[in-house]
Amino acid sequence: MAAKEPEIIRDKDQMRKWSRAMRSQGKTIGLVPTMGYLHAGHVSLIREAHNHSDVIVVSIYVNPGQFSPSEDLFTYPSDFHGDIQKLRAVPGGVDIVFNPHNLYDYGINPNYTNTSTSSSNGEGVKLESCVEEKGLGHGTWVRVERLEKGMCGKSRPVFFKGVATVVTKLFNIVEPDVALFGKKDYQQLRIIQRMVRDLDFSIRVIGYEVVRESDGLAMSSRNVRLSPEEREKALSINKSLSRARFFAEKGQISCKELTDLVIQAINEAGGRVDYAEIVDQDSLETVEDIRSPVVFCVAAWFGKVRLIDNMEIRV
Ligand code: PAF
């Protein structure tokens, strides 16, 4: 079967028009939001989207709003042409790549004046092209207050308000019936599900399993920035989480012992743990005993790269 060529839409009005035309033909729309530099995890989300909708939109947009000035916005990997090639090869294809150049007005925000184009793959993030109308700035943010407080929210205080806001914008522009997010970003998934419920979006949010490399490393666009040594050390996350799950499912050791086990394994491998927490799958509150379905979430640094991973545990 010939590869399907995705149509690229950059303008938000045009995007909305396309979606409305699809809906008027009775078609359901699936959205897979991404920041590009696509990998097999994204491809799994797109394949899953085909099970839930007639047409597929993949958005590629590195959202400045979810990076603080000290974070890796300007080194976030980017390869738009490579992404399009990958999307051509996805079974069933992709109908639209929404690559907005006019999503935000950061015109007067001093935090976002850098227009550097450096990236691991040469294309980089060009903020000029994200600016719609310079001058007024962006003044409205969506916050999912309780769920954004813990875990990644502690060390990345602007992250989830940026995510919730950009996902709201994407939902309002693309108007999908379903949207798919990876469970690797577990806190993000739960925040978006809560936002959709609390704000009455008529969108079904589907979480898809963590996709791993053959050696167990959770797939992430950031993996490309690990040196071979750091990548080897980073395997300690998946290995220690798997051991912890094994012990938890046998009911052998306490949550404190389980978290100690993971922290020690990552430290010994040469990583630096940001957090390691066993939390309730819905409330994301830390638990002391495993009585309901929980998820063991970890964030750790290897060199300059911060990785996250998690494992769901049912006892
Ligand atoms: O998970 C991501 O890639 C991003 O946080 C998202 C959901 C595309 C919002 O920018």
Side-chain angles (χ1 to χ4, degrees), residues 128-147:
E128 289 159 316
S129 58
C130 307
V131 174
E132 185 171 40
E133 41 191 34
K134 287 195 180 210
L136 290 177
H138 184 88
T140 306
W141 300 96
V142 181
R143 303 205 78 138
V144 182
E145 289 176 340
R146 206 166 49 77
L147 292 185

Side-chain angles (χ1 to χ4, degrees), residues 33-35 42 61 63 66 159 163 166-167 181 185 188 192:
T34 81
M35 298 207 298
H42 297 112
Y61 179 66
N63 170 32
Q66 67 193 67
F159 178 65
V163 169
V166 84
V167 170
F181 296 84
D185 300 279
Q188 168 174 284
I192 291 163

Side-chain angles (χ1 to χ4, degrees), residues 15-308:
M15 182 66 247
R16 194 178 279 116
K17 215 165 141 190
W18 183 89
S19 288
R20 290 187 180 179
M22 288 300 119
R23 179 137 311 111
S24 70
Q25 293 169 28
K27 293 193 172 148
T28 54
I29 301 162
L31 170 66
V32 179
T34 81
M35 298 207 298
Y37 213 72
L38 304 178
H39 52 66
H42 297 112
V43 172
S44 308
L45 288 176
I46 298 166
R47 294 178 79 140
E48 181 63 15
H50 277 289
N51 296 328
H52 303 279
S53 49
D54 301 318
V55 289
I56 310 287
V57 178
V58 172
S59 63
I60 297 183
Y61 179 66
V62 183
N63 170 32
Q66 67 193 67
F67 291 79
S68 74
S70 63
E71 287 178 340
D72 59 352
L73 171 64
F74 297 107
T75 54
Y76 195 84
S78 158
D79 178 16
F80 188 71
H81 299 293
D83 287 345
I84 298 297
Q85 271 175 2
K86 285 179 194 148
L87 293 177
R88 277 189 199 120
V90 176
V94 163
D95 296 274
I96 299 292
V97 173
F98 180 45
N99 178 226
H101 277 184
N102 62 347
L103 206 52
Y104 269 104
D105 170 6
Y106 283 115
I108 56 165
N109 188 334
N111 289 341
Y112 300 107
T113 51
N114 188 341
T115 52
S116 149
T117 56
S118 70
S119 85
S120 59
N121 223 29
E123 285 199 353
V125 178
K126 301 182 185 68
L127 274 181
E128 289 159 316
S129 58
C130 307
V131 174
E132 185 171 40
E133 41 191 34
K134 287 195 180 210
L136 290 177
H138 184 88
T140 306
W141 300 96
V142 181
R143 303 205 78 138
V144 182
E145 289 176 340
R146 206 166 49 77
L147 292 185
E148 72 166 44
K149 281 210 166 72
M151 299 196 286
C152 287
K154 280 191 198 144
S155 53
R156 305 189 69 191
V158 302
F159 178 65
F160 289 118
K161 84 168 189 184
V163 169
T165 303
V166 84
V167 170
T168 298
K169 284 166 82 70
L170 291 169
F171 284 178
N172 283 332
I173 295 165
V174 178
E175 300 180 343
D177 298 277
V178 277
L180 289 96
F181 296 84
K183 280 193 187 175
K184 184 177 79 69
D185 300 279
Y186 205 90
Q187 191 174 9
Q188 168 174 284
L189 170 68
R190 288 294 181 239
I191 283 176
I192 291 163
Q193 286 174 326
R194 180 65 62 85
M195 177 186 91
V196 160
R197 197 201 66 172
D198 289 355
L199 299 183
D200 297 305
F201 282 99
S202 175
I203 296 171
R204 192 151 59 94
V205 174
I206 297 173
Y208 193 74
E209 298 311 317
V210 181
V211 179
R212 298 181 181 280
E213 305 280 0
S214 55
D215 58 10
L217 187 69
M219 291 211 181
S220 161
S221 303
R222 288 188 167 96
N223 290 351
V224 71
R225 293 177 46 218
L226 293 165
S227 68
E229 296 74 32
E230 287 162 353
R231 198 188 173 293
E232 190 60 33
K233 292 175 182 174
L235 297 179
S236 59
I237 304 183
N238 172 54
K239 282 187 190 151
S240 60
L241 277 177
S242 304
R243 277 190 74 207
R245 182 172 60 185
F246 172 82
F247 287 127
E249 287 175 351
K250 287 208 171 312
Q252 282 176 347
I253 56 177
S254 68
C255 285
K256 163 90 176 64
E257 288 167 310
L258 292 169
T259 44
D260 286 349
L261 178 158
V262 168
I263 292 171
Q264 197 183 336
I266 294 172
N267 286 342
E268 278 172 6
R272 185 163 55 82
V273 175
D274 179 4
Y275 64 79
E277 286 184 37
I278 301 175
V279 299
D280 178 87
Q281 285 186 11
D282 295 317
S283 70
L284 302 183
E285 299 286 346
T286 310
V287 299
E288 290 187 358
D289 305 299
I290 305 181
R291 298 210 177 113
S292 57
V294 294
V295 53
F296 197 154
C297 297
V298 171
W301 289 89
F302 293 86
K304 290 198 170 122
V305 186
R306 182 178 178 277
L307 300 177
I308 58 171

